[in-house]
Amino acid sequence: MEPKKNPKSDVRRNSSLYFAVGLALMLGITYMAINYKTYDKSDVVADTLNLDDELDEEIPITEQIVTPPPPPPPPPAAPEVIEVVEDEEEVEETVIESTETEMDTEIVEVEEVEVEEVEEDIEVPFHVIENVAVFPGCEKKKGNEAKKKCMNEKVNKFIGKKFNTDLGSELGLPPGRKRIFVQFKVDKTGKVTNVVARGPHPGLEKEAKRVISQLPKMQPGKQRGKAVVMPFSIPIVFSVQD
């Protein structure tokens, strides 16, 4: 019995080929689907910069201001009328006589002028002077140290009698011991000069200067047999009572 269909129209003869092509196609589509990636639009950053907007600056249109020229200066004031006054007073001219001498004038000889040497006041400290200044009443003391001690005692005793100890209360100073440092010099004639005081109140300094200025005249100190200036310092201490 003969078959009714054409053997070329039989599709089963290429079924294995169609299966292989279909399988490969499906595997390719599956691979592409697995590796497909998507991105969120909000995470995308545009790194481009449009410079056209920045460069297009609007230049304002300026109007040139025309400054008017300054007004002309005012005309100068009319000069005052100057009256010419005739000078009737006669002016005496000063005649300057010449100081040059004539040939016939006798020249008077001038005697030699003697220049006196002025001795400088040499100052020698109290602790190194050879012969200390002698206070009245200390003349009989022998030795320089004994005369120094006598002078200290005499000066302290004199200050104790003359100094106004109530001055501290009168000046309103707080109670306690007050100290005034006094310096003075005994010059070459034995007088007290250059009295300087330093204390807690100007009133106390003034009182100390007043008392020291009343010290009696002394025998001046001597250095190598010549009278010299001798500085002397002493503290004045007293107490202010309540």
Side-chain angles (χ1 to χ4, degrees):
M1 185 175 180
E2 294 180 0
K4 296 180 179 181
K5 296 182 179 181
N6 189 1
K8 294 182 180 181
S9 62
D10 189 4
V11 294
R12 288 182 297 177
R13 63 176 184 172
N14 295 324
S15 60
S16 60
L17 177 62
Y18 296 151
F19 177 77
V21 172
L23 181 61
L25 182 61
M26 292 302 296
L27 289 175
I29 294 173
T30 304
Y31 178 78
M32 292 178 63
I34 292 173
N35 293 330
Y36 182 73
K37 295 181 181 179
T38 59
Y39 298 93
D40 192 358
K41 294 183 179 181
S42 60
D43 295 337
V44 177
V45 179
D47 292 335
T48 59
L49 179 63
N50 190 2
L51 298 179
D52 296 335
D53 296 338
E54 296 183 1
L55 295 177
D56 294 339
E57 295 182 358
E58 294 184 1
I59 301 175
I61 300 174
T62 58
E63 182 180 357
Q64 185 177 2
I65 300 174
V66 179
T67 305
E80 298 180 357
V81 179
I82 301 175
E83 296 181 359
V84 179
V85 180
E86 296 182 359
D87 189 4
E88 297 179 354
E89 297 181 0
E90 296 181 358
V91 180
E92 296 182 0
E93 297 181 357
T94 304
V95 179
I96 301 175
E97 297 181 357
S98 176
T99 57
E100 297 182 358
T101 58
E102 297 179 355
M103 296 295 292
D104 300 335
T105 305
E106 295 182 359
I107 299 175
V108 180
E109 295 182 0
V110 180
E111 298 180 358
E112 294 182 359
V113 179
E114 296 181 359
V115 180
E116 296 182 359
E117 295 182 0
V118 179
E119 295 183 0
E120 297 181 358
D121 293 339
I122 301 174
E123 185 175 316
V124 182
F126 177 74
H127 59 280
V128 298
I129 193 170
E130 294 179 355
N131 297 315
V132 70
V134 181
F135 198 88
C138 300
E139 294 85 0
K140 295 182 180 180
K141 299 292 181 179
K142 295 182 180 180
N144 212 29
E145 294 298 327
K147 291 179 179 178
K148 289 180 181 180
K149 183 178 179 181
C150 180
M151 182 177 179
N152 281 324
E153 293 175 354
K154 293 287 186 180
V155 172
N156 283 322
K157 188 175 180 180
F158 183 87
I159 293 173
K161 290 181 179 180
K162 299 292 184 179
F163 195 87
N164 183 12
T165 55
D166 297 332
L167 185 60
S169 301
E170 296 175 2
L171 296 174
L173 299 178
R177 293 169 61 87
K178 308 299 176 186
R179 186 182 298 269
I180 309 169
F181 295 93
V182 184
Q183 295 179 347
F184 62 91
K185 296 179 182 180
V186 181
D187 63 7
K188 294 190 297 183
T189 63
K191 294 181 180 180
V192 175
T193 60
N194 300 334
V195 182
V196 179
R198 181 168 56 88
H201 193 277
L204 298 179
E205 296 176 354
K206 183 178 180 181
E207 177 66 11
K209 291 180 182 180
R210 183 189 68 82
V211 174
I212 297 299
S213 299
Q214 295 179 3
L215 287 173
K217 188 176 181 180
M218 314 175 199
Q219 292 182 10
K222 292 183 178 181
Q223 187 75 8
R224 297 181 181 179
K226 293 184 178 181
V228 294
V229 178
M230 185 193 74
F232 189 84
S233 60
I234 188 169
I236 301 175
V237 182
F238 69 97
S239 299
V240 178
Q241 305 297 332
D242 295 338

